[in-house]
């Protein structure tokens, strides 16, 4: 009974609260309505500001539509802008009332102040109401021919909005043709806006036939680009990406006229210019010109690395793509990519990738010394990547292998847990790449047996001990100690590596290894619950029982030297990303057709499709050694995007 009474009281309180809030809202709107109709200008101005403030935070002020409209007849530009903003926001919900404002729009479109003329024509286009189109045509015609370039550039963009609302109205009234003519305008601002409008209309057109770039138009755009602001330059440069030169001479001319854009302070202008140079260089065959273009691209790319961390990250992701087209482009600038102490971790990761990619045989030593310092950092993931980079350099350049091993052994002496784990895996990769070249170091690794506790590192150490058992003095005791915790091992890779090591030890030293291999095989076949481990043990047992020579041929077979995992993009994907350099796709390293709705629909890609559906699977991984449980090389960086969410962006 008491509970029901409490619930009833709570319900009454909630109803009362709702009524009070409704009354407050009504009271506020009533107050605003009164102020909007005040005879004092300052009060009306303040009321309009409050209306816009309420609208901005999501409050419904549509009930004040007619009262706001009454204040349109004003010479105050600030109030006029706010009221136009209000009209744009509520035009779709109040299309009939918007017609009441048409006379004011038409009048403002003929005002002596160019800012008001542009504001009126922009607002009429943004209303996106079909009823307004009939009243918009005449003012738009006049504004397209206006003497002020600011009004003309605003009118050009308004044509794209009209085209989106009604293609027939835009074409029948000659608006589209007027925008094409605006490409020859004397003002660069008008030209760049005309380009943006034409591109937008071309994308909306079902046949994409609104305009086509030709040599004459390209010449006009390259002339106008010199006087454009950065956004105008980007719009023009983006348009030139779709143009294919008629011959080599035209390609050379375009590239030479684009080179000054590399000196621009805006990173997007620089990257888009680099994209164009990479595109057009395929049509240029003169070696001296190609060398000149490459030389000119280096300084601006380096300059981007002195920007904010976010810009650095974007630049590094794009540089990674560029280097796959021109591997030696930045080989002399390796020190520029050294990590700074205050770099964010995501920038450090990208710099590591670039450092390994641009490193040549002659500068491996300074880079290895630098990587050794990185491996002493406190961030464990960064340390792991730094050690991995050391391994990759050793695998790529044989001359660097000895120095790399020396660096890894110095790092092992720190006995820091995370460093020891990473170094052990790296040493395994180097020993697999250069078999029987560094046997002397194996015996010294035994003193770190107790420090190795991660499964991958334990498997790597056990593989080294089995492969080089003849070089280890107390190999039997070490493997026996590992075997004592065989059943407690949670990772099957460690168990498989231990079985392999025991068999190798027995085949190389039958008398010393007989007891060990018997115990290992019995434990694996009788007590282990993992079927893969049991099967491996059974195979070895039967091989050893039936034909020891066959077992020797399997377990001690000469294995192919491992190579670096291929982290380069496929030629098809690389070409797509080069054509989208400086865009989101170059940062994600996925083509835009996979995550932009409009492009995905053109390419026939379902919205829920993944990358594998497009045939962009990762490069094949390096095969593991025959019969070994240590797995494939970990020296390469995983180029896959596995685990990342698919992005679908609608523009």
């Amino acid at each position: 009974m008491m509970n029901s009474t409490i619930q009833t009281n709570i319900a009454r309180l909630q109803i009362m609260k709702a009524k009070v809030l409704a009354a407050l809202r009504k009271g506020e709107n009533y107050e605003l309505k009164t102020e909007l109709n005040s005879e004092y200008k300052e009060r009306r101005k303040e009321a309009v500001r409050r209306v816009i403030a309420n609208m901005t935070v999501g409050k419904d002020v549509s009930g004040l539509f007619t009262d706001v409209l009454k204040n349109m007849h004003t010479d105050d530009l600030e109030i006029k802008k706010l009221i136009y903003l209000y009209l744009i926001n509520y035009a779709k919900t109040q299309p009939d009332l918007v017609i009441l404002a048409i006379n004011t729009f038409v009048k403002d479109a003929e005002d002596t102040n160019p800012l008001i003329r542009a504001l009126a024509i922009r607002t009429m286009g943004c209303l996106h109401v079909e009823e307004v189109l009939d009243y918009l045509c005449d003012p738009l015609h006049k504004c397209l021919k206006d003497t002020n370039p600011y009004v003309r550039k605003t009118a050009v963009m308004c044509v794209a909005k009209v085209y989106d609302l009604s293609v027939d109205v835009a074409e029948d009234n000659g608006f589209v043709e007027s925008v094409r003519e605006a490409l020859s305008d004397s003002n660069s601002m008008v030209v760049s806006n005309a380009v943006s409008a034409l591109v937008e209309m071309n994308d909306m057109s079902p046949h994409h036939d609104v305009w086509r770039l030709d040599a004459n138009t390209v010449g006009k755009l390259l002339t106008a680009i010199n006087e454009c602001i950065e956004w105008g330059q980007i719009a023009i440069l983006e348009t030139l990406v779709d143009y294919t030169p008629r011959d080599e001479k035209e390609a050379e001319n375009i590239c030479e006229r684009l080179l000054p854009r590399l000196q621009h302070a805006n990173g997007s202008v620089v990257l888009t210019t680099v994209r164009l140079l990479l595109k057009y260089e395929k049509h240029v065959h003169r070696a001296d010109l190609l060398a000149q273009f490459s030389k000119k691209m280096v300084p601006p790319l380096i300059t981007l690395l002195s920007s904010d961390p976010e810009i650095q990250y974007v630049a590094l992701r794009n540089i990674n793509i560029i280097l796959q087209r021109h591997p030696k482009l930045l080989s002399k600038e390796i020190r520029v990519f050294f990590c700074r102490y205050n770099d964010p971790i995501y920038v450090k990761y990208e710099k590591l990738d670039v450092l390994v990619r641009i490193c040549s045989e002659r500068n491996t030593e300074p880079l290895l010394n630098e990587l050794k310092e990185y491996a002493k950092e406190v961030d464990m993931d960064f340390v792991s990547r730094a050690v991995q980079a050391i391994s990759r350099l050793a695998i790529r350049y044989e001359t660097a292998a000895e120095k790399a091993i020396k660096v890894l052994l110095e790092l092992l002496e720190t006995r820091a847990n995370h460093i020891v784990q990473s170094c052990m895996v790296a040493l395994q990769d180097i020993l697999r790449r250069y078999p029987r070249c560094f046997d002397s170091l194996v015996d010294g690794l035994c003193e770190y047996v107790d420090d190795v506790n991660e499964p991958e590192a334990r498997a790597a150490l056990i593989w080294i001990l089995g492969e080089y058992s003849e070089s280890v003095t107390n190999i039997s005791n070490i493997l026996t100690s590992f075997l004592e915790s065989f059943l407690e091992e949670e990772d099957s890779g460690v168990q498989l590596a231990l079985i392999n090591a025991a068999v190798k030890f027995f085949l190389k030293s039958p008398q010393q290894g007989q007891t060990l291999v018997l115990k290992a095989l019995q434990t694996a076949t009788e007590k282990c619950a993992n079927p893969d481990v049991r099967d491996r043990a059974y195979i070895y047992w039967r091989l050893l029982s039936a034909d020891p020579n066959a077992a020797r041929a399997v377990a001690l077979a000469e294995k192919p030297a491992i190579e670096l995992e291929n982290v380069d993009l496929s030629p098809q994907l690389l070409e797509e990303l080069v054509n989208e350099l400086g865009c989101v796709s170059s940062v994600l390293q996925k083509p835009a057709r996979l995550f932009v709705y409009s492009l995905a629909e053109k390419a026939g890609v379902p919205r829920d499709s993944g990358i594998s559906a497009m045939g962009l699977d990762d490069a094949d991984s390096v095969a593991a050694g025959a019969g070994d449980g240590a797995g494939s090389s970990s020296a390469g960086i995983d180029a896959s995007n596995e685990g990342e969410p698919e992005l679908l962006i609608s523009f």
Side-chain angles (χ1 to χ4, degrees):
M1 186 70 178
M2 184 178 293
N3 288 337
S4 62
T5 304
I6 293 174
Q7 290 176 354
T8 303
N9 291 334
I10 292 174
R12 288 176 180 172
L13 287 172
Q14 289 176 342
I15 293 172
M16 290 176 62
K17 181 181 178 181
K19 289 181 178 179
V20 170
L21 290 175
L24 287 173
R25 291 194 192 99
K26 183 178 179 181
E28 185 178 10
N29 281 352
Y30 180 78
E31 181 184 346
L32 288 172
K33 184 181 181 73
T34 304
E35 293 294 320
L36 287 169
N37 291 281
S38 174
E39 59 179 320
Y40 299 106
K41 181 179 178 181
E42 287 303 320
R43 286 190 178 183
R44 295 198 302 270
K45 186 173 183 179
E46 184 60 30
V48 171
R49 288 173 177 168
R50 288 174 59 191
V51 168
I52 299 302
N54 288 344
M55 183 185 76
T56 304
V57 298
K59 293 182 180 180
D60 183 17
V61 287
S62 58
L64 301 172
F65 200 92
T66 54
D67 300 290
V68 173
L69 283 181
K70 293 177 183 178
N71 291 274
M72 285 185 65
H73 303 284
T74 177
D75 296 329
D76 193 320
L77 188 58
E78 179 190 352
I79 295 300
K80 195 175 286 288
K81 287 181 179 180
L82 292 175
I83 293 175
Y84 282 3
L85 180 63
Y86 177 89
L87 292 176
I88 292 171
N89 190 61
Y90 287 111
K92 290 185 179 180
T93 58
Q94 308 274 0
D96 296 333
L97 295 177
V98 170
I99 303 299
L100 300 175
I102 291 300
N103 289 335
T104 305
F105 283 132
V106 174
K107 181 181 177 181
D108 286 349
E110 298 178 354
D111 196 276
T112 55
N113 188 340
L115 291 177
I116 293 179
R117 296 202 299 272
L119 181 62
I121 206 69
R122 179 192 292 119
T123 305
M124 291 180 75
C126 292
L127 290 176
H128 218 72
V129 176
E130 291 187 6
E131 289 82 356
V132 177
L133 283 179
D134 294 336
Y135 304 96
L136 174 60
C137 293
D138 288 340
L140 185 55
H141 272 299
K142 294 177 182 178
C143 289
L144 285 169
K145 305 297 182 182
D146 199 280
T147 55
N148 190 284
Y150 181 75
V151 179
R152 294 201 302 274
K153 74 99 177 176
T154 306
V156 161
M157 294 306 298
C158 185
V159 171
K161 295 178 175 62
V162 173
Y163 190 93
D164 184 30
L165 199 58
S166 175
V167 176
D168 293 336
V169 172
E171 292 181 345
D172 294 345
N173 286 275
F175 292 145
V176 177
E177 185 60 34
S178 297
V179 177
R180 294 194 190 101
E181 294 173 359
L183 292 173
S184 303
D185 197 280
S186 58
N187 187 279
S188 59
M189 181 172 56
V190 178
V191 175
S192 60
N193 277 265
V195 169
S196 298
L198 286 170
V199 170
E200 189 174 340
M201 290 187 289
N202 201 56
D203 290 339
M204 289 186 285
S205 171
H207 304 293
H208 304 289
D209 55 354
V210 172
W211 81 313
R212 290 285 185 273
L213 275 176
D214 53 33
N216 185 37
T217 304
V218 170
K220 294 177 183 177
L221 296 182
L222 290 173
T223 301
I225 200 173
N226 296 320
E227 300 176 4
C228 288
I229 62 173
E230 53 193 19
W231 303 114
Q233 292 187 30
I234 294 170
I236 293 175
L237 292 172
E238 289 279 358
T239 304
L240 294 177
V241 172
D242 298 324
Y243 179 68
T244 302
R246 294 171 300 177
D247 50 37
E248 182 180 357
K249 185 177 181 180
E250 184 182 8
E252 292 175 1
N253 180 49
I254 293 174
C255 289
E256 288 177 351
R257 296 180 69 176
L258 287 173
L259 288 178
R261 305 275 72 75
L262 291 173
Q263 301 173 11
H264 201 282
N266 185 282
S268 183
V269 174
V270 171
L271 288 175
T272 310
T273 304
V274 171
R275 186 205 316 185
L276 286 168
L277 292 174
L278 293 176
K279 175 182 173 62
Y280 290 142
E281 70 177 6
K282 295 186 294 185
H283 304 279
V284 178
H285 305 294
R286 286 176 53 187
D288 59 329
L289 274 180
L290 292 174
Q292 179 188 354
F293 297 158
S294 297
K295 185 179 180 181
K296 293 282 187 180
M297 280 191 285
V298 173
L301 291 176
I302 298 301
T303 302
L304 290 176
L305 297 180
S306 59
S307 307
D308 294 333
E310 294 79 11
I311 303 297
Q312 288 186 51
Y313 177 76
V314 173
L316 288 166
R317 294 291 283 179
N318 283 272
I319 287 172
N320 199 308
I321 296 173
I322 295 169
L323 289 174
Q324 294 184 48
R325 174 72 76 84
H326 293 284
K328 298 181 179 179
L329 183 66
L330 300 170
S331 58
K332 296 181 180 179
E333 309 291 340
I334 189 168
R335 292 188 179 275
V336 177
F337 295 93
F338 284 176
C339 299
R340 292 191 287 266
Y341 75 95
N342 58 347
D343 280 339
I345 192 65
Y346 55 86
V347 171
K348 289 182 177 180
Y349 287 165
E350 293 304 317
K351 283 187 175 181
L352 275 182
D353 289 347
V354 172
L355 282 171
V356 175
R357 189 177 289 280
I358 66 176
C359 181
S360 60
E361 197 167 0
R362 61 184 174 81
N363 52 23
T364 52
E365 185 168 353
L367 180 54
L368 285 171
N369 291 331
E370 185 73 12
L371 292 173
K372 182 174 73 171
E373 297 303 317
Y374 298 163
K376 297 176 182 179
E377 296 278 350
V378 294
D379 188 288
M380 290 189 289
D381 289 336
F382 182 60
V383 168
S384 177
R385 293 202 182 204
V387 173
Q388 208 174 76
I390 294 172
S391 173
R392 290 174 62 186
L393 288 176
I395 292 172
R396 176 181 292 178
Y397 302 113
E398 186 175 357
T399 55
E402 186 174 352
K403 172 66 176 178
I405 287 180
K406 182 180 178 182
V407 169
L408 292 173
L409 292 178
E410 290 177 3
L411 291 173
L412 279 174
E413 292 176 0
T414 63
R415 290 193 178 270
N417 184 60
H418 59 288
I419 296 178
V420 172
Q421 317 307 318
S422 300
C423 288
M424 204 58 70
V425 176
L427 286 169
Q428 178 209 15
D429 291 335
I430 296 175
L431 291 173
R432 288 180 60 191
R433 178 67 178 85
Y434 306 107
R436 306 302 162 191
C437 292
F438 303 101
D439 298 24
S440 57
L441 70 89
V442 175
D443 196 32
L445 297 179
C446 297
E447 62 180 282
Y448 302 103
V449 169
D450 296 333
D451 299 321
V452 179
N453 46 41
E454 291 185 4
E456 187 180 9
R458 286 171 67 84
L461 177 58
I462 293 171
W463 180 90
I464 294 172
L465 295 174
E467 192 71 17
Y468 296 89
S469 58
E470 68 278 9
S471 302
V472 182
T473 53
N474 58 340
I475 181 65
S476 180
N477 295 334
I478 296 173
L479 292 179
T480 301
S481 65
F482 276 116
L483 195 59
E484 289 175 356
S485 59
F486 183 86
L487 297 176
E488 285 75 30
E489 290 287 352
E490 296 180 358
D491 190 86
S492 60
V494 178
Q495 294 175 324
L496 291 171
L498 189 53
I499 292 174
N500 293 334
V503 172
K504 290 176 183 178
F505 176 48
F506 168 71
L507 292 173
K508 293 178 181 179
S509 306
Q511 293 181 352
Q512 297 178 358
Q514 184 173 0
T515 303
L516 179 67
V517 74
L518 184 61
K519 182 178 179 181
L521 295 178
Q522 283 180 338
T523 304
T525 54
E526 296 175 3
K527 300 179 181 180
C528 185
N530 190 301
D532 293 334
V533 177
R534 286 202 311 270
D535 290 347
R536 178 75 63 88
Y538 276 126
I539 291 172
Y540 276 135
W541 202 326
R542 288 166 184 167
L543 276 173
L544 292 170
S545 302
D547 189 353
N549 290 329
R552 185 180 300 275
V554 172
L556 301 181
E558 184 177 349
K559 302 168 186 63
I562 67 168
E563 300 291 340
L564 276 179
E565 184 180 351
N566 183 17
V567 295
D568 288 342
L569 302 169
S570 65
Q572 177 188 357
L573 179 56
L574 177 61
E575 191 63 28
E576 283 191 75
L577 293 180
V578 167
N579 288 334
E580 296 171 2
L581 211 64
C583 303
V584 177
S585 44
S586 63
V587 178
L588 297 176
Q589 297 200 349
K590 298 178 183 179
R593 58 190 171 86
L594 291 182
F595 58 87
V596 178
Y597 282 155
S598 58
L599 297 178
E601 289 170 359
K602 290 178 186 177
V605 182
R607 291 190 175 187
D608 58 348
S609 66
I611 285 202
S612 58
M614 297 303 298
L616 298 174
D617 293 324
D618 305 316
D620 296 335
S621 57
V622 182
D628 284 337
S632 62
S633 166
S634 61
I637 291 178
D638 183 11
S640 72
N641 290 308
E642 185 177 356
E644 291 184 5
E646 290 302 316
L647 297 177
L648 284 175
I649 304 171
S650 180
F651 293 134

